[in-house]
Amino acid sequence: MYLKYITASLSDLSQGNELVQQLMDPDKGHVKLGFTYTLGQQLVPELITRVGKFHTDDKNQAITFELGQGNSTELLQELADEKFFDLCVVLFFCFFF
């Protein structure tokens, strides 16, 4: 009766251990990056290029990216809800009259 719960718990624990190992190694990992449409034209390609140049060896090839675009409100809501993104780059403009 409890076997399915124990199996599910052990699976979750194993996934958690794998995540901790990935987070502890700065030369490996998968980054889910969200950004606004305007930042996707120059800033994001530059950031990804710099990650590639950060290491002089082939270690950084173990770093992968998953990219998504949207408006600031959508991106921040998805980040807060932990739906998709690990990191979001957004711009906010404040106008004072």
Side-chain angles (χ1 to χ4, degrees), residues 2 47 92:
Y2 295 108
L47 288 173
F92 278 106

Side-chain angles (χ1 to χ4, degrees), residues 22-89:
Q22 288 176 4
L23 293 173
M24 291 178 64
D25 187 351
D27 296 321
K28 293 188 216 175
H30 183 74
V31 179
K32 296 177 184 175
L33 177 64
F35 50 92
T36 58
Y37 299 105
T38 54
L39 294 176
Q41 296 175 5
Q42 184 175 353
L43 180 65
V44 172
E46 184 177 321
L47 288 173
I48 293 172
T49 299
R50 286 183 183 219
V51 168
K53 291 180 180 178
F54 184 71
H55 298 286
T56 56
D57 53 18
D58 291 333
K59 287 182 185 179
N60 63 333
Q61 291 182 0
I63 299 173
T64 59
F65 290 91
E66 189 170 342
L67 307 174
Q69 291 182 305
N71 66 48
S72 296
T73 304
E74 293 169 347
L75 294 170
L76 292 174
Q77 186 61 53
E78 288 188 21
L79 181 65
D81 294 342
E82 297 181 5
K83 285 186 178 178
F84 180 76
F85 301 112
D86 299 320
L87 174 68
C88 289
V89 183

